[in-house]
Amino acid sequence: MDNDYITHAWDRCTGQYRLDVNGAPELQRLDAGNLGRLLEEQHLFVEIGSAEMTRLIKQMLRFSEDAMLPSPDCTLLLLDAGGVALHAVGTELESGRDARYSGMDAGFIWREEYVGVTGPSLCLHDMKPRMVHREEHLFRNFVEMACCAMPIWAPSGALLGVIDSTYSRSGYAKSAYVSVMPLLAQLARRIEMKYFARNYQDHVILSVNRLNDYTDHDDEALFAINENGVIVAAEFALTKGTIGDAKGGLVGANLRDVFDVSLDKMLDDHHRAEKSHSRTLLRNTGRHDGLRVFSLPDKVSFTAVVNGILRNTPHSRDEASVQVHDSLLALSGDDAVVSENIRRIHKVLNKNISILLLGETGTGKDTLARAIHRASDRRDKPFVAINCAAIPESLIESELFGYEPGSFTGASRVGKQGKVMAANGGTLFLDEIGDMPAALQGRLLRVLEEREVTPLGTIKASPVDIRVISATNKSIDDLVQQGGFRTDLLYRINDVVLSLPPLRERSDKIRLVETICQQECGVSEMEISAEAWNIFLGYSWPGNIRELRSVIRTALALSDGNAIRCEDLPERLVTGERAGGRVTTAPATTPPWSDSDALERNRILAELERHHWRVIDTAKFLKVSRNTLYRKMRLYGIMDADA
């Protein structure tokens, strides 16, 4: 072991963690519930990382066939900053080897105190690229392995996670794996860039390179620019050659103060460009950098250069209006109550009328509020959301209305713009408004009546133009009767009141399940066993759509392929004894069938019985696809409890 970092890791593991080199690692794994919650929290990281990992594993296998890599038997692991494996792909998993033996699966924890000296555990500890080969591992279980790991950085500069490539049967010298590290570095960089762009997808994303290294992604700086040309974020994984030590100073600066171009001028250049376009910009430091647009938000209504490829965004307000109109209609589904809500929204969409959304936690109030904003003529202006229950009472007034410099102890020397003024021209979404302190309700009432905002520490009022959408999971009428909510404020926010039904009362649960499955796994059709469908339709869903999405995401992570079975679902859903044999039930939410529907249902039942409930054979006889038959079975309440 000639690498100092290996020696230091051995010393930590045997000294600090008291690991026995002659023993075996105590592999730790999160239970299904905690893993599901973690995957929910890290869904964007997993979505981006898993897609990039699939591409890389194919590339590595292709290179292996050309003898450019030592072995095709490798597994890629995506870990979070805490060392928990979030996703795994590779030939080891596809060949059916038991991942539980080696920890190569989602949920396993790869920290030094559990697994000793490995590539991912060292990378997590040192926050640097690390390679560990065969006998360099602490435990004998891993001595046949070679693992290479690369850190992945979040936009904030914190460690986002680690990408690891492990070869389980390494018969080559350590030098043979050197070629893996550049591939992992490129993968980590792509994840960082896409993660940054997705986090700031409502902003213009600029990519800046030194001119002499224009094609080197390691020297590429990403900036998120708001509609006023202000740099709101600068991506962390940048070289000294691009931004040096000035990252902190760049955030908050205007584009024209950093480069010799305004945002309007730069976007106009791209509008006229016939191919991927860059221009030379002069930094205030006197250095020359190349600038290109990495991505543009959909609201920018002209041809945009995205990843070097021209794409067309809507050129006219009418075309954009049709798209957002359709996206709002898509929320209505097949439920009569939700459809009626959407119909009422369209009548007041572009009128200065406030909307109050009522519904249990998880019913989609935030989603609906954002859809209303996107569909309205305010869509090109800000959508500002504030959770009245999440901000301390002592801070909520300054958050809403802002303050002047020196207004109170600890106030910023430059003051702060409040959320209300930040939403000027757009939409202010007051979530959990039922938890707003009583003293603050009076100030909000004056703002809504006078359409003026007076920050703390001044008597000067500024006019404001906002559309207010409010939401609460409490009974607002009960709060008024109990004196917890002002009646006059209620009259200002409840021009239109929409009640979102809980999931247990919705008649379109089948469509919701199918839609969420498609969103989560990216395929047009998803196989769900009949017993799993029975559970989906019969469960009370106290967490509503939010819980449904979490359950589906976890089930897909635990399932084999694009299929969800009963054993993939959380235990809380699978309660009571399972009835034996086949059962047919009509869903309680299904309206009475027509004569033709009844005939079709009876025919399907008869053919299923005749083909001994073999769905594939029945589908072939009926000349429909298997998924179509499953859909018909769900529609008519035909369930196979033995599936």
Side-chain angles (χ1 to χ4, degrees), residues 210 218-219 236-246 283 287:
R210 295 302 308 278
D218 289 337
D219 196 35
F236 178 79
L238 310 168
T239 65
K240 297 287 186 181
T242 303
I243 64 170
D245 298 317
R283 288 280 302 276
R287 298 183 305 193

Side-chain angles (χ1 to χ4, degrees), residues 32-155:
N34 285 321
L35 177 58
R37 283 187 286 273
L38 181 60
L39 292 175
E40 172 75 18
E41 295 171 0
Q42 300 280 4
H43 67 93
L44 179 58
F45 184 36
V46 175
E47 176 188 335
I48 295 172
S50 59
E52 293 299 326
M53 291 163 66
T54 300
R55 294 189 185 97
L56 180 62
I57 199 70
K58 293 179 181 178
Q59 183 182 9
M60 296 174 78
L61 295 178
R62 184 168 62 251
F63 283 178
S64 298
E65 294 173 357
D66 298 333
M68 296 179 68
L69 289 176
S71 168
D73 295 325
C74 64
T75 299
L76 291 179
L77 273 181
L78 184 72
L79 294 84
D80 73 351
V84 180
L86 303 174
H87 187 70
V89 296
T91 55
E92 292 294 283
L93 302 177
E94 295 174 0
S95 63
R97 285 176 56 114
D98 192 350
R100 291 172 297 180
Y101 174 75
S102 57
M104 297 294 173
D105 200 5
F108 283 100
I109 305 174
W110 282 83
R111 294 199 295 267
E112 282 184 337
E113 57 263 41
Y114 301 129
V115 299
V117 182
T118 66
S121 63
L122 263 66
C123 186
L124 286 164
H125 181 274
D126 299 344
M127 297 189 185
K128 295 180 179 179
R130 288 294 182 244
M131 181 190 303
V132 178
H133 180 257
R134 294 183 64 83
E135 287 79 8
E136 292 176 342
H137 291 90
L138 184 79
F139 290 116
R140 295 176 181 176
N141 299 58
F142 301 142
V143 294
E144 293 185 359
M145 294 181 176
C147 45
C148 310
M150 191 70 55
I152 303 173
W153 300 100

Side-chain angles (χ1 to χ4, degrees), residues 358-375:
L358 305 177
E360 298 177 4
T361 299
T363 50
K365 298 185 292 295
D366 177 88
T367 300
L368 181 57
R370 293 178 185 275
I372 294 171
H373 173 76
R374 290 194 302 268

Side-chain angles (χ1 to χ4, degrees), residues 482-618:
Q482 296 165 7
F485 201 87
R486 294 179 61 130
T487 305
D488 45 5
L489 177 58
L490 177 61
Y491 293 151
R492 285 290 180 179
I493 65 172
N494 72 342
D495 293 337
V496 172
V497 180
L498 304 175
S499 295
L500 278 64
L503 181 55
R504 61 184 174 274
E505 296 178 4
R506 290 186 61 157
S507 61
D508 58 347
K509 286 194 284 290
I510 290 177
R511 189 195 65 85
L512 283 173
V513 171
E514 292 176 336
T515 299
I516 293 175
C517 283
Q518 292 173 13
Q519 293 172 348
E520 294 298 328
C521 70
V523 298
S524 59
E525 292 190 346
M526 181 74 200
E527 181 182 346
I528 301 177
S529 74
E531 186 176 13
W533 267 116
N534 228 357
I535 294 172
F536 274 128
L537 298 177
Y539 182 60
S540 62
W541 298 108
N544 294 297
I545 297 176
R546 184 178 298 147
E547 183 185 13
L548 173 62
R549 183 176 294 276
S550 176
V551 166
I552 290 176
R553 182 173 292 154
T554 304
L556 289 171
L558 298 175
S559 66
D560 298 324
N562 293 328
I564 295 179
R565 300 287 182 263
C566 186
E567 55 268 24
D568 301 321
L569 302 178
E571 187 63 32
R572 67 178 185 277
L573 270 70
V574 188
T575 57
E577 293 294 328
R578 298 175 179 171
R582 276 86 185 182
V583 296
T584 63
T585 61
T589 54
T590 301
W593 294 309
S594 64
D595 291 341
S596 59
D597 289 338
L599 288 173
E600 184 178 49
R601 182 177 188 271
N602 291 337
R603 187 188 180 201
I604 290 174
L605 269 173
E607 293 303 332
L608 284 168
E609 291 288 350
R610 193 165 73 87
H611 290 89
H612 306 288
W613 289 81
R614 291 191 295 268
V615 174
I616 295 178
D617 294 341
T618 305

Side-chain angles (χ1 to χ4, degrees), residues 40-326:
E40 172 75 18
E41 295 171 0
Q42 300 280 4
H43 67 93
L44 179 58
F45 184 36
V46 175
E47 176 188 335
I48 295 172
S50 59
E52 293 299 326
M53 291 163 66
T54 300
R55 294 189 185 97
L56 180 62
I57 199 70
K58 293 179 181 178
Q59 183 182 9
M60 296 174 78
L61 295 178
R62 184 168 62 251
F63 283 178
S64 298
E65 294 173 357
D66 298 333
M68 296 179 68
L69 289 176
S71 168
D73 295 325
C74 64
T75 299
L76 291 179
L77 273 181
L78 184 72
L79 294 84
D80 73 351
V84 180
L86 303 174
H87 187 70
V89 296
T91 55
E92 292 294 283
L93 302 177
E94 295 174 0
S95 63
R97 285 176 56 114
D98 192 350
R100 291 172 297 180
Y101 174 75
S102 57
M104 297 294 173
D105 200 5
F108 283 100
I109 305 174
W110 282 83
R111 294 199 295 267
E112 282 184 337
E113 57 263 41
Y114 301 129
V115 299
V117 182
T118 66
S121 63
L122 263 66
C123 186
L124 286 164
H125 181 274
D126 299 344
M127 297 189 185
K128 295 180 179 179
R130 288 294 182 244
M131 181 190 303
V132 178
H133 180 257
R134 294 183 64 83
E135 287 79 8
E136 292 176 342
H137 291 90
L138 184 79
F139 290 116
R140 295 176 181 176
N141 299 58
F142 301 142
V143 294
E144 293 185 359
M145 294 181 176
C147 45
C148 310
M150 191 70 55
I152 303 173
W153 300 100
S156 64
L159 184 69
L160 181 60
V162 165
I163 184 69
D164 169 73
S165 175
T166 292
Y167 293 81
S168 60
R169 293 185 294 275
S170 168
Y172 295 82
K174 188 173 183 178
S175 59
Y177 296 90
V178 173
S179 58
V180 177
M181 299 302 282
L183 290 175
L184 287 182
Q186 293 174 15
L187 172 62
R189 189 74 185 105
R190 287 197 300 270
I191 293 175
E192 289 166 353
M193 294 171 68
K194 291 186 177 182
Y195 190 83
F196 182 88
R198 287 285 295 276
N199 272 280
Y200 295 97
Q201 60 186 353
D202 293 332
H203 296 72
V204 175
I205 308 296
L206 304 184
S207 168
V208 182
N209 295 80
R210 295 302 308 278
L211 292 181
N212 58 347
D213 279 323
Y214 192 68
T215 59
D216 186 356
H217 288 291
D218 289 337
D219 196 35
E220 186 172 20
L222 297 184
F223 299 92
I225 314 295
N226 69 14
E227 59 186 6
N228 297 318
V230 177
I231 299 173
V232 299
E235 198 231 359
F236 178 79
L238 310 168
T239 65
K240 297 287 186 181
T242 303
I243 64 170
D245 298 317
K247 171 180 180 286
L250 291 175
V251 175
N254 195 285
L255 183 68
R256 68 171 65 92
D257 297 328
V258 181
F259 302 98
D260 66 341
V261 65
S262 67
L263 178 64
D264 290 341
K265 173 61 175 170
M266 183 200 68
L267 294 179
D268 186 56
D269 286 347
H270 280 274
H271 177 41
R272 295 195 305 266
E274 295 181 357
K275 59 182 180 179
S276 181
H277 176 71
S278 64
R279 59 170 284 158
T280 301
L281 301 175
L282 181 63
R283 288 280 302 276
N284 286 345
T285 58
R287 298 183 305 193
H288 287 75
D289 296 323
L291 174 67
R292 70 185 178 96
V293 173
F294 177 79
S295 69
L296 288 164
D298 290 338
K299 66 182 180 182
V300 179
S301 56
F302 46 70
T303 302
V305 180
V306 183
N307 293 330
I309 301 174
L310 287 172
R311 75 172 185 182
N312 291 319
T313 58
H315 287 333
S316 69
R317 178 175 294 269
D318 290 339
E319 292 179 21
S321 178
V322 171
Q323 291 182 356
V324 294
H325 177 84
D326 289 344

